[in-house]
């Protein structure tokens, strides 16, 4: 049975097939590249945040972009990698003390709690009673809590692995951002040409400018918040006499940058200072850390709003909604989506505007 298609229907079928093939190609491309989204996000953050400083350095070095890029990458990697390496080496040096403490605990049992912890109002007696039960019969005391303990251990391990993965992505992002900075305008030229080809020159430029402003606002807000939080944390650690203050501050910078929050580092420091018998310092760290957490939550949207030219509400909704939906990379996805929608909506309103009648 022969079926004859009209030319119009044949063209429609061909168009649908081409669109389906293009959609399949885009899905395959997403599966290939989604592993690198974290690295590319960090590269985008650093390249946008340091673009102005990089161009000034290029002018001072008489146009030697590759030399400036190498210096830029070495400096940033050193700033981030050295404190983390220092922390790891210090922990390795104290690993023998930790092993000895574990062996001593196995032989002699848990040590008694410090007096200041026992004398805490309301909570002290309960903590002391539970600790004594652990000293006398640890297995019976922990029976029934295996699931909670397992969940806590898994959470700690997964958080540690996540921080290590983020640190690796951070270092790779710095290196890739150096290539972006060397390329300069050539890096965004294909994207610019594609958008102008699809939407026209005027609408394409407006959309690209809105996207760049969204990325710039979020990048500077995230980087600025992480940097300021790290500096303020170092001041607090130094005042409290916390060991490894510089390395801990670098870790605070890292966890704030990947949107985990400074309390991941501050809470263990508070607990450690409390177990060392420093109640005054512990109280200071608790108050200082609470203020730091509140300040970090307020500072980020303020920096994002100040550094970007888009309305604050547009970027704020994009950042918060994107973070909730997709995690760290979502703060950029959400901001870009909201910026694109805002630009297209305003362009549509401008096209629909009816000129006022002349008198």
């Amino acid at each position: 049975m022969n079926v004859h298609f009209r030319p119009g229907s044949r063209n429609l079928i061909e168009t649908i097939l081409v669109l389906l093939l293009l959609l399949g190609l885009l899905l395959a491309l997403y599966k290939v590249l989604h592993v690198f989204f974290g690295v590319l996000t960090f590269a985008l953050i650093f390249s946008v945040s340091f673009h102005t400083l990089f161009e000034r350095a290029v002018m001072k070095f008489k146009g030697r972009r590759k030399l400036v890029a190498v210096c830029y990458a070495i400096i940033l990697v050193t700033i981030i990698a050295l404190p983390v390496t220092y922390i790891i080496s210090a922990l390795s040096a104290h690993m023998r003390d930790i092993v000895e403490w574990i062996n001593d605990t196995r032989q002699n049992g848990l040590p008694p709690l410090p007096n200041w912890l026992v004398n805490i109002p309301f909570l002290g007696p309960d903590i002391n009673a539970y600790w004594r039960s652990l000293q006398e019969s640890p297995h019976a005391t922990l029976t029934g809590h295996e699931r909670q303990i397992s969940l806590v251990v898994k959470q700690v391990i997964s958080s540690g692995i996540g921080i290590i993965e983020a640190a690796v992505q951070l270092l790779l992002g710095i290196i890739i951002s150096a290539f972006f900075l060397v390329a300069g305008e050539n890096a965004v030229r294909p994207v610019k040409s594609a958008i102008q080809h699809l939407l026209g020159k005027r609408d394409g430029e407006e959309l690209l400018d809105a996207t760049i402003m969204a990325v710039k606002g979020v990048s500077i807000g995230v980087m600025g918040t992480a940097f300021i939080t790290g500096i303020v944390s170092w001041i607090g650690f130094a005042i409290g006499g916390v060991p490894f203050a510089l390395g801990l501050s670098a870790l605070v910078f890292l966890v704030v940058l990947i949107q985990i929050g400074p309390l991941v580092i501050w809470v263990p420091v508070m607990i450690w200072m409390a177990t060392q018998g420093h109640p005054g310092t512990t109280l200071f760290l608790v108050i200082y850390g609470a203020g730091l957490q509140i300040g970090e939550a307020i500072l980020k949207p303020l920096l994002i709003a100040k550094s970007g030219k888009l309305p604050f509400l547009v970027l704020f909704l994009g950042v918060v909604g994107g973070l909730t939906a997709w995690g760290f990379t979502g703060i950029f996805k959400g901001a870009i989506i909201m910026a694109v929608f805002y630009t297209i909506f305003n362009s549509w309103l401008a096209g629909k505007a009816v000129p006022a009648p002349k008198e």
Side-chain angles (χ1 to χ4, degrees):
M1 179 178 180
N2 296 327
V3 179
H4 299 283
F5 294 98
R6 290 179 296 177
S9 62
R10 182 179 301 173
N11 292 334
L12 178 61
I13 293 174
E14 291 176 353
T15 303
I16 293 174
L17 290 176
V18 170
L19 291 176
L20 290 176
L21 289 175
L22 180 60
L23 180 61
L25 179 61
L26 291 176
L27 290 175
L29 185 64
Y30 171 79
K31 290 183 178 179
V32 172
L33 295 180
H34 82 279
V35 180
F36 304 98
F37 281 171
V39 175
L40 294 176
T41 299
F42 284 122
L44 192 63
I45 291 176
F46 285 107
S47 59
V48 171
S49 302
F50 292 99
H51 174 73
T52 303
L53 292 176
F54 182 85
E55 294 299 332
R56 290 178 182 175
V58 169
M59 292 178 62
K60 290 183 178 181
F61 280 82
K62 299 179 180 180
R64 299 177 179 175
R65 302 184 69 88
K66 293 183 180 180
L67 177 61
V68 176
V70 171
C71 296
Y72 152 86
I74 291 175
I75 292 173
L76 282 186
V77 169
T78 302
I79 291 174
I80 294 174
L82 276 185
V84 177
T85 305
Y86 177 72
I87 286 280
I88 294 174
S89 62
L91 290 176
S92 300
H94 291 80
M95 189 59 65
R96 180 179 299 176
D97 298 334
I98 296 174
V99 173
E100 291 179 357
W101 181 85
I102 293 175
N103 292 332
D104 182 69
T105 302
R106 286 179 176 178
Q107 295 176 1
N108 304 320
L110 293 172
L113 291 175
N115 293 328
W116 67 267
L117 185 59
V118 176
N119 296 327
I120 293 178
F122 304 107
L123 298 177
D126 294 335
I127 296 175
N128 189 34
Y130 187 78
W131 190 259
R132 284 186 177 179
S133 64
L134 280 177
Q135 290 177 319
E136 295 173 358
S137 55
H139 294 288
T141 305
L142 294 177
T143 300
H145 301 281
E146 293 86 355
R147 185 172 179 273
Q148 291 83 352
I149 295 173
S150 176
L151 290 176
V152 171
V153 172
K154 289 180 180 179
Q155 184 65 32
V156 171
I157 294 175
S158 62
S159 300
I161 294 174
I163 292 175
I164 293 174
E165 290 178 353
V168 173
Q169 291 181 354
L170 185 63
L171 296 177
L172 293 176
I174 292 173
I175 297 173
I176 295 176
S177 68
F179 288 96
F180 287 167
L181 291 172
V182 169
E185 294 294 332
N186 295 329
V188 297
R189 188 172 297 168
V191 179
K192 184 176 181 180
S193 300
I195 294 178
Q196 289 180 352
H197 179 73
L198 292 173
L199 302 177
K201 184 175 182 181
R202 184 179 65 85
D203 293 339
E205 288 182 353
E206 290 181 357
L207 190 62
L208 186 61
D209 290 339
T211 303
I212 292 175
M213 284 189 295
V215 174
K216 182 178 180 181
V218 178
S219 298
I220 294 177
V222 171
M223 282 288 296
T225 302
F227 182 76
I228 294 174
T229 305
I231 294 295
V232 175
S233 296
W234 176 76
I235 295 173
F237 290 147
I239 294 175
V242 178
F244 317 122
L246 181 60
L248 291 172
S249 302
L251 291 178
V252 170
F253 169 83
L254 174 62
V255 296
V256 173
L257 183 62
I258 62 179
Q259 305 302 298
I260 294 180
L263 291 184
V264 174
I265 306 300
W266 274 82
V267 170
V269 172
M270 297 172 192
I271 295 174
W272 184 83
M273 292 298 291
T275 57
Q276 297 302 308
H278 303 290
T281 303
T282 303
L283 180 61
F284 165 75
L285 291 177
V286 170
I287 298 174
Y288 196 95
L292 182 70
Q293 178 68 29
I294 296 173
E296 187 258 346
I298 297 174
L299 180 64
K300 187 186 302 176
L302 290 179
L303 287 179
I304 290 175
K306 187 176 181 180
S307 56
K309 296 181 182 179
L310 292 170
F312 168 72
L313 184 60
V314 174
L315 282 179
F316 180 78
L317 292 176
V319 169
V320 175
L323 180 63
T324 304
W326 297 296
F328 170 67
T329 58
I331 63 177
F332 292 90
K333 295 177 184 177
I336 291 173
I337 291 172
M338 289 297 296
V340 170
F341 173 78
Y342 177 80
T343 304
I344 294 177
F345 184 71
N346 281 345
S347 177
W348 177 74
L349 287 181
K352 292 293 182 180
V354 178
K358 296 181 179 180
E359 297 180 356

